[in-house]
Amino acid sequence: MPSISIAFLRAWPGPARSLLELPPELLVHIFGYLPGPDLPRLAQVCGAFRRLLRTDTIWRRRCREEYGVCENLRKLEITGVSCRDVYAKLLHRYRHILGLWQPDIGPYGGLLNVVVDGFFIIGWMYLPPHDPHVDDPMRFKPLFRVHLMERTSATVECMYGHKGPHSGNIQIVKKDEFSTKCNQTDHHRMSGGRQEEFRTWLREEWGRTLEDIFHEHMQELILMKFIYTSQYDNCLTYRRIYLPPSSPDDLIKPGLFKGTYGSHGLEIIMLSFHGKKAKGTKITGDPNIPAGQQTVEIDLLHPIQLPDIENQHNFNELSRIILEVQEQVRREQQQEEEEGAGCSRQSATPQAEQPAQEGDAGAEETADRAGAAAQGSEPASQPFVLPLGVISRNKDYPRTCRMCFYGTGLIAGHGFTSPERTPGAFVLFDDDRFGFIWLELKSFSLYSRIKVAFQNAEAPSREAFEEMLKNIQSLAT
């Protein structure tokens, strides 16, 4: 116990038979250590406790320890708002919206981070850097904020548009879901009409003007996104997302990455590990592959041995290697299915042990190499160069890599029509960057880790994380 409490106890003449016999200063000190949600029940014990629990010192400590409010809370006294008001009417009331969220904006999705920022709760929309600068830091803009302007209740303000804060509303729909509404959408309009709004949006979203974009298909995609997303006017529904849990056996630390997706620009994906597989799930998406879909899947049991640097320029050589591994995976899956069917028909008569086949030995060797890689025996870097004819939005990709694995990437037509998984190569460059070669598209995506320390984003369990992945994928479908 802190020295101040010990001093109180030493000064007390004899043992206390009741908490009420303790000095009020000591009781205030003790109550300050209790969780805030328990204090209202404590106030029901007696009138003395109820009076003591009006002491702002207790609530100042709860604001600091439970929500990280480190500002000088004494400034609140000027406005007549107490620390107890801040805790009960702002922090505790809106605690369920803190953390990471994905907005329901059709195929485009998004990443919202709701945080306590001083005496405000602010919803920040995180945006990838401008295409194709994948290693640049994330951009962010406020969509809404909640604060306590007076003692009666918290005020919700919409931050969308360029005319400053204006009236908004937040409704907690159900567990892990809430919605926002703007009450003054005229604040989102600009004097120059839709044309000015589009040009402003284009500068913020892409960092350029329409005249700078010569590709006609990209112009169509950009205009389509503006028309689709602007119709919501910041009236959105958000669903909670968790950061993926990590394990010492993971190839690299899982988390959020930003990656290049051709004419669609940069998008956000979540890399997670699931035993022998790794998955990349889209947090933001596009009309072809919407947010929530699994964009890439990596088979950690099937490493790919790249050719020497001279032959890496040859696309046909890389294609041959990837397709050979694809055929190997197909045969192994077929063998597993046949063995599973055979086990159900197998008689009780003991069978003679069969010698290991050459294919089995190869599979064991592959598994051993993948296992060693996952457990931290890092291989030496090897030279890497993209084959001629493979398109990369970012020409400044790493020229060395640690290892490669066979994987599949999801491709589809506009509107997520005719989706199919096609073969490719996952290339691990370092702890924070990886790439994927889309064989059929002759395209390369480069991914870079989002280095933001998100709070209130840990999954309560692996099962909860897996359930979250299923939910966002089913919504996308």
Side-chain angles (χ1 to χ4, degrees):
M1 186 178 290
S3 57
I4 183 172
S5 302
I6 295 174
F8 272 124
L9 289 174
R10 287 174 177 171
W12 193 244
R17 290 168 295 182
S18 166
L19 283 175
L20 290 172
E21 294 182 8
L22 293 175
E25 297 88 346
L26 180 55
L27 286 175
V28 166
H29 192 74
I30 293 172
F31 292 168
Y33 282 94
L34 299 177
D38 293 343
L39 296 180
R41 289 194 294 271
L42 183 62
Q44 296 175 0
V45 172
C46 63
F49 281 9
R50 185 164 54 253
R51 288 189 295 274
L52 285 173
L53 286 169
R54 293 173 185 157
T55 308
D56 240 24
T57 307
I58 298 172
W59 299 101
R60 187 179 301 124
R61 182 169 197 148
R62 290 298 92 220
C63 290
R64 182 178 67 250
E65 295 189 358
E66 294 181 24
Y67 297 99
V69 179
C70 299
E71 277 74 13
N72 184 6
L73 294 173
R74 297 182 187 279
K75 295 178 183 178
L76 291 172
E77 296 174 0
I78 302 174
T79 63
V81 177
S82 68
C83 295
R84 181 186 179 188
D85 292 330
V86 171
Y87 184 94
K89 298 174 182 178
L90 177 67
L91 302 177
H92 185 68
R93 179 181 176 185
Y94 289 95
R95 69 192 184 282
H96 295 300
I97 70 170
L98 298 177
L100 288 179
W101 303 83
Q102 185 182 50
D104 183 8
I105 313 180
Y108 299 104
L111 180 64
L112 180 84
N113 185 28
V114 184
V115 299
V116 175
D117 188 351
F119 304 131
F120 295 85
I121 291 177
I122 304 179
W124 296 97
M125 181 68 85
Y126 274 71
L127 306 170
H130 293 136
D131 181 51
H133 307 291
V134 71
D135 285 325
D136 286 357
M138 295 286 286
R139 301 173 294 129
F140 47 90
K141 63 179 181 180
L143 291 191
F144 63 83
R145 70 181 186 183
V146 190
H147 62 116
L148 210 60
M149 296 184 66
E150 53 188 26
R151 298 189 63 177
T152 53
S153 62
T155 299
V156 178
E157 294 177 324
C158 175
M159 304 290 286
Y160 191 78
H162 297 82
K163 295 183 179 179
H166 47 282
S167 175
N169 183 52
I170 290 178
Q171 180 180 3
I172 299 177
V173 181
K174 58 183 179 181
K175 185 179 183 294
D176 296 333
E177 184 177 319
F178 76 95
S179 62
T180 59
K181 180 183 178 182
C182 176
N183 298 327
Q184 295 175 288
T185 55
D186 56 298
H187 280 62
H188 306 168
R189 308 283 79 85
M190 303 185 79
S191 58
R194 293 290 278 173
Q195 187 174 9
E196 183 185 1
E197 292 171 16
F198 172 63
R199 291 186 176 276
T200 303
W201 175 87
L202 186 59
R203 284 195 303 271
E204 294 176 351
E205 186 85 6
W206 289 82
R208 61 181 80 176
T209 64
L210 196 61
E211 291 75 19
D212 297 330
I213 303 170
F214 301 106
H215 197 291
E216 185 176 346
H217 179 56
M218 182 180 287
Q219 290 181 352
E220 293 174 355
L221 291 172
I222 290 172
L223 184 58
M224 185 188 310
K225 184 174 183 179
F226 168 74
I227 294 172
Y228 193 99
T229 58
S230 61
Q231 67 179 329
Y232 285 89
D233 265 336
N234 207 23
C235 299
L236 297 167
T237 297
Y238 298 87
R239 295 177 180 87
R240 184 180 295 280
I241 58 175
Y242 298 117
L243 292 177
S246 61
S247 163
D249 296 333
D250 293 341
L251 195 63
I252 58 173
K253 182 182 178 182
L256 296 173
F257 291 77
K258 45 199 185 293
T260 55
Y261 278 89
S263 299
H264 299 294
L266 299 189
E267 298 184 12
I268 302 171
I269 76 159
M270 177 184 290
L271 179 69
S272 56
F273 291 90
H274 309 261
K276 301 173 184 178
K277 304 281 186 181
K279 299 177 181 179
T281 304
K282 280 196 171 188
I283 302 302
T284 63
D286 53 68
N288 290 72
I289 308 298
Q293 289 294 336
Q294 186 182 311
T295 175
V296 293
E297 180 176 282
I298 303 102
D299 189 337
L300 299 175
L301 289 185
H302 290 88
I304 290 177
Q305 182 62 46
L306 290 176
D308 54 57
I309 191 65
E310 289 78 13
N311 287 321
Q312 285 186 30
H313 289 280
N314 188 335
F315 177 79
N316 291 332
E317 178 64 13
L318 177 65
S319 178
R320 180 190 64 80
I321 293 172
I322 293 176
L323 294 178
E324 283 182 356
V325 179
Q326 182 190 34
E327 178 60 22
Q328 179 187 348
V329 171
R330 188 194 65 80
R331 289 198 308 267
E332 291 173 2
Q333 291 174 344
Q334 183 179 6
Q335 183 179 354
E336 289 178 2
E337 292 172 1
E338 291 174 352
E339 289 176 351
C343 287
S344 62
R345 298 192 303 266
Q346 187 177 17
S347 67
T349 306
Q351 301 292 318
E353 186 175 342
Q354 298 295 322
Q357 300 296 316
E358 183 178 350
D360 297 333
E364 289 177 4
E365 180 183 353
T366 300
D368 290 342
R369 292 205 308 265
Q375 292 174 13
S377 45
E378 187 177 306
S381 295
Q382 55 183 314
F384 174 80
V385 65
L386 284 174
L388 296 175
V390 173
I391 301 171
S392 174
R393 297 285 295 174
N394 196 316
K395 306 300 181 184
D396 190 26
Y397 61 86
R399 293 308 194 268
T400 60
C401 68
R402 290 182 184 174
M403 51 184 18
C404 300
F405 291 90
Y406 171 77
T408 58
L410 184 62
I411 64 174
H414 187 86
F416 196 48
T417 55
S418 305
E420 62 173 321
R421 304 208 70 86
T422 61
F426 170 87
V427 186
L428 179 62
F429 295 114
D430 52 45
D431 287 341
D432 297 320
R433 289 179 297 178
F434 64 87
F436 191 84
I437 300 174
W438 308 76
L439 196 62
E440 184 170 325
L441 302 178
K442 285 192 174 181
S443 177
F444 173 74
S445 292
L446 177 64
Y447 301 86
S448 180
R449 186 182 298 278
I450 296 176
K451 298 178 180 179
V452 178
F454 295 109
Q455 303 294 321
N456 302 296
E458 300 299 324
S461 66
R462 179 165 285 277
E463 292 75 20
F465 175 77
E466 298 285 354
E467 186 66 23
M468 180 271 299
L469 281 185
K470 291 179 183 177
N471 288 340
I472 63 174
Q473 185 169 0
S474 64
L475 289 169
T477 306

